[in-house]
Amino acid sequence: MSSRDEAEPAITHDPIDPVEDSPDAGAPAEITYDEGLYPARPRRLRPRAHLHASGIRRSFADPRVADASNPSYVEWLRRQSMLGDADVLVRGLSGQPSMWRNSYARPDARRAIRTASVWFTAYPISLITAPGQSYLGALGSADLWQAFESIGITAVHTGPVKDAGGITGWTHTASVDGHFDRISTQIDPAFGQEEEFRQLCEVADDHGGCVIDDIVPGHTGKGADFRLAEMAYKDYPGIYHMVEIPEESWSLLPDVPEGEDAANLNAQTEATLAAQGFIIGELQRVIFYSLGVKETNWSATGPVLGVDGRTRRWVYLHYFKQGQPSINWLDPTFAGMRLVIGDALHSFSDLGSSALRLDANGFLGVEKSMDGTPGWSEGHPLSEAANHIIASMLRKVGGFSFQELNLTIEDIRDTGRVGADLSYDFINRPAYHHALAMGDTEFLRLTLRTSLARHVQPVTLVHALQNHDELTYELVHWATRHRADVYSFRGEDITGAQLAETVRADLIETLTGPRAEYNLIFTTNGIACTTASVIAAAQGFTSLDEIGEDDIDGIRRAHLLLAMFNAWQPGVFALSAWDLLGMLPLPQDEVSSLIKHGDTRWIHRGAHDLTDANPTATMSSSGMSRGRSLYGSLPTQLAAEDSFAARLTRILRIRGEHGIDVATQIDIPDVAHPGMLVMVHRLDAGDVEDDHAQLQVTVLNFTGEEIEGTIRSDVLPPRRTVTDVDSGTEIGHVDGLNSFAVRLAPYAGAFLLMGTADEPPTTTQALPLITGSQI
């Protein structure tokens, strides 16, 4: 990914000038918190003209000197800033009747799911397109959407496509985090044009789908907004958690290396500045910790000339990388809030999105502790309040949102009560990988039951296979707030901290290291891998080169099992091109420059060609190397009835025909075989008063061996027939002990329906083997 040297187009509108900086609001009240929480360290929407109201027009400028002494440079930055765009956008929508047509106070997961139940999660820099075709142009192809429609995919999550990275002088610098360091409301020209995004929304609607975009309410990149903040321009410093350090204290700050614009504080400097009252100091954890690179969450700028002629040095917060300064949601100017809301409304009003992902939205509040413990930065009430505002605004314009919140189950529950309509399933994701790796579902059953016990129904979650991120094993719920709680696991009582460590160790030992060096640990968060490479490791392949044509079917069957787990329960089901095509990770030497600082995720972001758009291409237009596909392109797969995509189509058809996506989960029974998982659902479309709703049971075999056993649950009425939907055959009856028996082939799954009336049992016969032959 190369930097672009061209000057960005400037905005020719004249935004309303933000108010001048407010005086210091004074010292914060002494509010403590429970330091035991964490350890240190609608129907789909066609794009509507009545929302197209931004009035943003752009032209090119010819700048000169790149510092605050040049009014032309300051104006160039201001005209491409996100805050400047936000002022124009909100002015066009304020007072319009379109802002009062939709309810917005409460999240509505089932309404969101009825809009889009099965999502394709795309990643811009990895999609191989036809020569001369943009990413958005390829994603808006009618042929691709025809394939999506035939499979049962009803939404595309585009991934981040707006300009990202930074600005140094007049030069735009590359993204430091896969375009999650946004600096503009403009579409990055590398991915296409705004009109192509709108066309994508139209094509999706024509095929019964919709488009999901991204916003990042927690941080930006170091673009125009951050550079203006460094210059102390009007209320731009209020966008960020940044503090001016008086010149007499500059000796406390680290020197900024030549060629850099900031230096990370070490722990001693962080503590010193905190003790002197400049910054909050240590937070609950350091995400992306790397010795000598990121030792704390704070960095110091070099001297920067301000628009008032003063030279300043700042210390600023970044939960993530140094190039991702964190947004301050409670600055008196509310500049950060205005920026984020403006970006969100642009995606809806100008571009035509129907939903947004809220990235890193669990880190919107930060507060100093009064007792010497780390500052409160996760699960903070301000995050809940800010998410309520963002999600309510999106519902107000007729859309919905989902969040990626890798915190405790209680945090996901509490934030979801008023915030985003859906939450990413970080609860069960590491658990189902653990079940596959170990051939034992005990931990998965524990996570499912714990979720129900804490009132997080799976209908409120986005159950996903691989996306652009690592497969997490942080297990935050167990390792933090519940680290001292006692759980029964493998026949003994252990603490939550011990449970998290045991599961993490199982995953690392089975899926990485000498057993599978093609999968890499990603900092402290998880494993960089694809779903196919997780399966390969679980099945004993020590090298990806060992996987031959005869081995692909076994990997595919396990892959379909994981799809059944995620799709045959309430909630959204999401998958990526890496899953659809059965992609394997890239060899480490092909992305050595990208992973040299520890971001190993680049190995699983290999380029892929969904539609054979460019069969001879060895990389994407963004420069990602092409990875190995086990399953082939979608046209090839859809022409073969035993392919992954063709069999996935059957799984999704069963899902849709029986309304499991909006059902209610009511039991996770014990199992007769450790490799078996059973989930019991009521097909009530969310009506908890419907006592007559039909019951459904999902039964899965997480092992490569044939298994059999008895399923027992108090919620299963005796004398009801049990029918396998896939084969259409009756496999037995529920007996007087509320149980029935099943026999499953390796990696097989069954979608079973209970009869709606008592029926006498049939003549005893041999227990049929459920193979999923139609799947």
Side-chain angles (χ1 to χ4, degrees), residues 91-207:
R91 190 169 65 192
L93 293 171
S94 179
Q96 298 301 309
S98 58
M99 298 300 296
W100 299 101
R101 291 175 182 166
N102 301 289
S103 59
Y104 61 87
R106 296 181 178 86
D108 191 341
R110 287 181 173 87
R111 170 184 169 272
I113 291 169
R114 290 186 179 103
T115 302
S117 177
V118 179
W119 301 356
F120 172 78
T121 56
Y123 194 59
I125 65 176
S126 296
L127 181 65
I128 293 175
T129 64
Q133 186 181 41
S134 71
Y135 164 76
L136 290 174
L139 211 55
S141 161
D143 290 341
L144 178 59
W145 273 95
Q146 183 61 51
F148 284 163
E149 186 175 11
S150 65
I151 292 170
I153 294 170
T154 53
V156 162
H157 176 209
T158 63
V161 294
K162 293 183 179 179
D163 241 346
I167 293 176
T168 299
W170 302 108
T171 302
H172 281 73
T173 57
S175 170
V176 299
D177 190 26
H179 266 69
F180 287 100
D181 45 352
R182 179 170 297 175
I183 62 171
S184 175
T185 61
Q186 296 181 86
I187 299 294
D188 189 326
F191 302 139
Q193 303 297 324
E194 285 194 358
E195 193 51 46
E196 289 181 299
F197 195 109
R198 298 186 186 103
Q199 181 63 25
L200 163 61
C201 295
E202 293 286 352
V203 172
D205 189 80
D206 290 341
H207 290 272

